Amino acid sequence: MAKHTVVTMPGDGIGKVVLPEAIRVLDAVGFDAEYVHADIGWEFWVKEGNPLPERTLELLRKHKLGLFGAITSKPKKEAAEELDPSLRDKGFVYFSPIVGLRQKFYLDICIRPCRSFAGNPLNFVRQKADGGVEEPSVDAVIFRQNTEGLYCGIEWTSPPAQVRDALATHGKFKPFSSVPSEDIAVSVRLFTRNACRRILTAAFEYAEKHGYRSVTVCEKPNVLRETSGMMEEVAREVQKEHPDIQLWSTNIDAQMMWLTKNPEDYGVIVAGNLFGDIVSDAFAGLVGGLGFACSGNIGDEVAVFEPTHGSAPKYEKLDPPIVNPIAMILSAAMLLDHVGETEKATNVRNAVAAVVREGRVRTYDMMRIPGEGGVIAEGAAMTPQITDAILDRLER
Ligand code: NAI
Ligand code: MG
């Protein structure tokens, strides 16, 4: 029997293209695992009214380790219209299955490392005052609170009377008191002290373990006084338990500006759910974009690893496939780290680094050309060719 069982959830679109590539790498590196497929995504919303079927949850409960590709989400109205006619008007409401997965298993710690690989033509470069160009090395690791904040799903268009009444107890509701309910939409940004403590503790421990000297809390406490304020307050407490790591604080808006000026100044970053999503995509953009952006969703029992990109539906049907599998492969390397297979994880990352540095095999995104059917004629690699090149560079 294999040592690990990994639940594989390819999902939709290019999730189905990149996930098998990651498994080829895990096999080649000698990871002792078997894989069980689990259903997730749009197809199951349309057919069953549930994009995250109970049988998938059961497999994750049992095996505790998941690899996820990507899913397609659509706005409320479109989702309802695509539901199988036999299921319509039966009270099915679409909710993103990956957000659902994070909440159901309390995968509250989302880690998104954004590290530049030398030789990547997509790396951030900066013009110097003398007209020259420099390429600072980026090494930022975003810790995104993954279960609360604006993603907690507590929201209404046309809030019911009790909710309106509750809102009216707040002095700041006065200007809205004459707006008809149907013209009001509310999304709740809810933070709990416990979740703030958990994400901050994870971040400080990571900083300590990996030699970062600071943790930056990236919120907006001057305006979002209660939620961001709580994150900052707890950060000051947690920092006291890690006196060797400095606590820095930035506002999300200023952070978005500074990261394109001096990205090398930042190491470990902590943010709530939405700001964490935003700032991690921004850092990803400095190290190659979505084709390089990996992540782990980690709870006390279950962990699911996924590229941060979505299902990129326009690329799904391209045959041969042309999307970059590196984000998915680096996510698989994070899975290896998680189960203590650090050497194998390093082997994978070194092989990716070698392929990027050599630059002989590149997907269209690394060539900075629009992703269309014709890119292969222009010299872009097909998806599996990137994996082949990585396999060639693995230490065996
Ligand atoms: P997306 O990440 O799917 O694609 C945006 C663009 O990024 C693509 O058009 C492509 O140009 C580029 N790209 C993404 N992955 C790439 C790769 N591996 N190699 C090369 N280029 C790549 O985001 P978009 O278009 O906003 O969303 C498409 C669908 O995915 C939506 O239904 C959205 O809800 C869903 N989504 C799902 C996520 C998840 O499953 N975790 C995350 C983000 C979006
Ligand atoms: Mg995102």
Side-chain angles (χ1 to χ4, degrees), residues 88-102:
R88 283 187 207 152
D89 306 317
K90 298 219 163 108
F92 292 103
V93 179
Y94 181 83
F95 190 70
S96 158
I98 182 64
V99 177
L101 209 57
R102 293 167 185 158

Side-chain angles (χ1 to χ4, degrees), residues 105-153:
F105 289 106
Y106 202 64
L107 311 178
D108 63 322
I109 313 291
C110 179
I111 309 182
R112 297 184 160 184
C114 298
R115 297 194 172 101
S116 43
F117 288 105
N120 188 345
L122 302 177
N123 282 346
F124 170 76
V125 292
R126 176 170 60 207
Q127 192 167 356
K128 296 196 287 186
D130 66 8
V133 165
E134 59 189 346
E135 187 179 315
S137 175
V138 177
D139 178 358
V141 185
I142 291 82
F143 279 71
R144 167 191 184 189
Q145 204 298 324
N146 219 18
T147 47
E148 307 190 330
L150 276 166
Y151 285 59
C152 65

Side-chain angles (χ1 to χ4, degrees), residues 312-330:
K314 67 180 176 189
Y315 297 110
E316 173 188 22
K317 296 252 148 57
L318 282 188
D319 189 18
I322 59 163
V323 291
N324 190 345
I326 288 179
M328 183 81 237
I329 290 168
L330 292 174

Side-chain angles (χ1 to χ4, degrees), residues 50 75 90 123 143 154 159-160 183 304 309 334 346-347 355 384 392:
N50 183 4
K90 298 219 163 108
N123 282 346
F143 279 71
I154 305 173
D183 293 336
V304 175
H309 63 70
M334 291 183 76
T346 305
N347 192 357
V355 169
D392 275 349

Side-chain angles (χ1 to χ4, degrees), residues 25 45 56 65 121 141 154 292:
V25 175
W45 162 250
T56 297
L65 204 51
V141 185
I154 305 173
F292 287 84

Side-chain angles (χ1 to χ4, degrees), residues 117 349-359 393:
F117 288 105
R349 279 189 280 264
N350 287 347
V352 170
V355 169
V356 174
R357 192 172 53 242
E358 288 158 11
R393 285 287 167 271

Side-chain angles (χ1 to χ4, degrees), residues 139-211:
D139 178 358
V141 185
I142 291 82
F143 279 71
R144 167 191 184 189
Q145 204 298 324
N146 219 18
T147 47
E148 307 190 330
L150 276 166
Y151 285 59
C152 65
I154 305 173
E155 47 182 8
W156 301 267
T157 300
S158 194
Q162 306 97 302
V163 174
R164 245 198 111 107
D165 290 347
L167 292 172
T169 63
H170 200 292
K172 294 278 185 199
F173 193 70
K174 250 204 187 93
F176 308 102
S177 56
S178 59
V179 182
S181 281
E182 61 270 27
D183 293 336
I184 294 182
V186 183
S187 299
V188 175
R189 187 178 209 247
L190 192 150
F191 280 27
T192 64
R193 209 174 285 282
N194 181 50
C196 291
R197 174 163 276 279
R198 281 177 57 90
I199 192 75
L200 285 155
T201 302
F204 272 94
E205 286 176 354
Y206 186 97
E208 235 158 38
K209 186 170 169 199
H210 294 91

Side-chain angles (χ1 to χ4, degrees), residues 26-104:
L26 289 173
D27 283 343
V29 84
F31 183 46
D32 185 9
E34 57 193 8
Y35 300 91
V36 288
H37 169 91
D39 295 334
I40 194 167
W42 198 251
E43 185 186 338
F44 305 98
W45 162 250
V46 172
K47 286 198 308 212
E48 303 176 20
N50 183 4
L52 180 57
E54 179 55 33
R55 56 190 182 275
T56 297
L57 300 176
E58 198 47 53
L59 284 171
L60 274 168
R61 257 179 229 122
K62 184 166 169 203
H63 301 297
K64 320 257 182 254
L65 204 51
L67 261 187
F68 169 78
I71 49 88
T72 295
S73 273
K74 295 185 190 177
K76 199 166 138 185
K77 198 160 161 264
E78 272 177 70
E81 281 166 6
E82 288 193 32
L83 201 54
D84 187 88
S86 68
L87 299 173
R88 283 187 207 152
D89 306 317
K90 298 219 163 108
F92 292 103
V93 179
Y94 181 83
F95 190 70
S96 158
I98 182 64
V99 177
L101 209 57
R102 293 167 185 158
Q103 288 169 351
K104 283 213 157 71

